[in-house]
Amino acid sequence: MTAVKRSLELMAGAATWLLGTDPRPAPPHVFLLDSASLRYGRFVAGESGFEVEDLTIAEMPRELFGDGPLGGVTHDLGLFKQLVNEIVATVDEKPEEASLVLPDAWLRLSFAELEDLPARGARRLEALRWKLKRQVPFPIDDLRLKAVSVARLPNQEEPRRVLIGFGVEALFRQLEEVFAASGVRIGRILNTSLATVSSIREVVSDLDLALLVLVSAGGYSLTFTQRGEPLLHRFRALDTSLRGEDAAQLVVRDLKLTRSFVEEQLPERELARVLLASPERQRRFWLDSLEDALGRAPVALEREQLPLRGTLPEVSPVELAPMVGAAWRDVA
């Protein structure tokens, strides 16, 4: 290790808020988990941004978690508990409450239009499940889900529009239980895109339409924002066997289809900014592909776009962005 319940509606008593809907300020402690590592950071807020007071990274075997389309529970619970315990034991300030950021593939997002949505309880859950069942190819009864109201699209038919976050209940429950056994209460769970959008809201909050492109090991996500709030989102898993020209053609074709869809949904909006968050080794490929498909030169995410100050650890800003975004996420 290197320093540097069924639905969310029913889980409210356990103090878990998917998509950051806890009305209290976010804790400074953030864990970021993916198939390759577990990271912990403590972000202390000041007048001009956050300072990174602690950052710890534990590498993990890539086969430790299930590799289904929505992820899966750990294959070695003892090893994962050990990793969590080691991080909690070695950090300077024990995190009694923390946020947890998961990959976009594990915590998916879907927008839905509805005529009406009950405010709470079983009827609300039933309406959401009914809607989601017609949109995604996953067993709905196995999912935990939560919906928050979002801005309407100009041409939508129904009066309401919501953003639904969903993932495998068994995975979320297992993660919460492991952290709880180490004395850490997970107060909110976000995916990487939502957390990263939060981290860049200062640079997109005045724009009618901006795009965050987030590239990960298993695919990429496109999140269009309206004045800093998610408006459209798409996660696309990629065939890792594709290389070179084949991969480029697939990506550009998919991006052009997305561009056409957005232009149809938002006919009077101009894409004001494209931000790319990708591993450095893939940056040139994505900068070229995005400009080719979208007709606008993207900008790679750098430290200057993040609310950070002081001396930073030798970690890519792309890796820091979702963590500081989770620490910054306040929802009234």
Side-chain angles (χ1 to χ4, degrees), residues 195-310:
T196 304
V197 164
S198 181
S199 75
I200 60 168
R201 57 185 176 184
E202 281 193 341
V203 297
V204 299
S205 62
D206 60 340
L207 302 178
D208 281 337
L209 188 64
L211 170 61
L212 169 69
V213 182
L214 192 151
V215 181
S216 62
Y220 62 94
S221 299
L222 308 172
T223 307
F224 291 85
T225 63
Q226 174 179 275
R227 300 197 173 277
E229 297 300 324
L231 188 65
L232 296 166
H233 174 87
R234 184 184 183 193
F235 171 77
R236 170 73 183 235
L238 280 178
D239 183 350
T240 56
S241 66
L242 292 177
R243 294 289 187 273
E245 189 65 26
D246 289 338
Q249 289 179 357
L250 177 63
V251 168
V252 170
R253 182 167 64 248
D254 186 59
L255 290 172
K256 286 181 176 180
L257 289 173
T258 300
R259 176 184 178 180
S260 297
F261 173 78
V262 172
E263 289 174 346
E264 179 183 338
Q265 296 295 316
L266 305 169
E268 298 181 1
R269 303 279 184 88
E270 180 180 353
L271 186 57
R273 184 171 300 165
V274 179
L275 280 174
L276 170 66
S278 76
E280 187 171 355
R281 65 183 182 278
Q282 298 178 333
R283 184 176 295 179
R284 176 45 53 193
F285 168 84
W286 280 95
L287 289 173
D288 292 344
S289 296
L290 287 166
E291 184 168 11
D292 182 10
L294 303 179
R296 170 172 286 277
V299 176
L301 183 65
E302 300 290 355
R303 170 186 170 152
E304 290 71 23
Q305 285 115 9
L306 302 178
L308 293 169
R309 64 179 186 178

Side-chain angles (χ1 to χ4, degrees), residues 4 39 55 57 312-320:
V4 272
R39 301 168 184 261
L55 185 67
I57 304 172
L312 298 183
E314 294 296 324
V315 176
S316 164
V318 172
E319 298 175 35
L320 285 174

Side-chain angles (χ1 to χ4, degrees), residues 5-8 11 16 18 65-74 100 102-109 129 132 137-146 165-176 189:
K5 128 176 79 65
R6 191 126 322 255
S7 79
L8 230 55
M11 286 291 288
T16 302
L18 187 63
F65 283 88
D67 59 356
L70 293 174
V73 298
T74 177
L100 176 62
L102 299 178
D104 286 5
W106 296 10
L107 201 171
R108 301 288 187 103
L109 304 177
R129 289 192 181 281
L132 192 62
F138 307 114
I140 300 300
D141 291 340
D142 296 338
L143 305 180
R144 182 188 295 186
L145 56 90
K146 180 70 176 184
F166 62 93
V168 176
E169 166 63 29
L171 171 60
F172 292 171
R173 185 173 62 248
Q174 184 185 65
L175 295 175
E176 291 163 341
I189 305 175

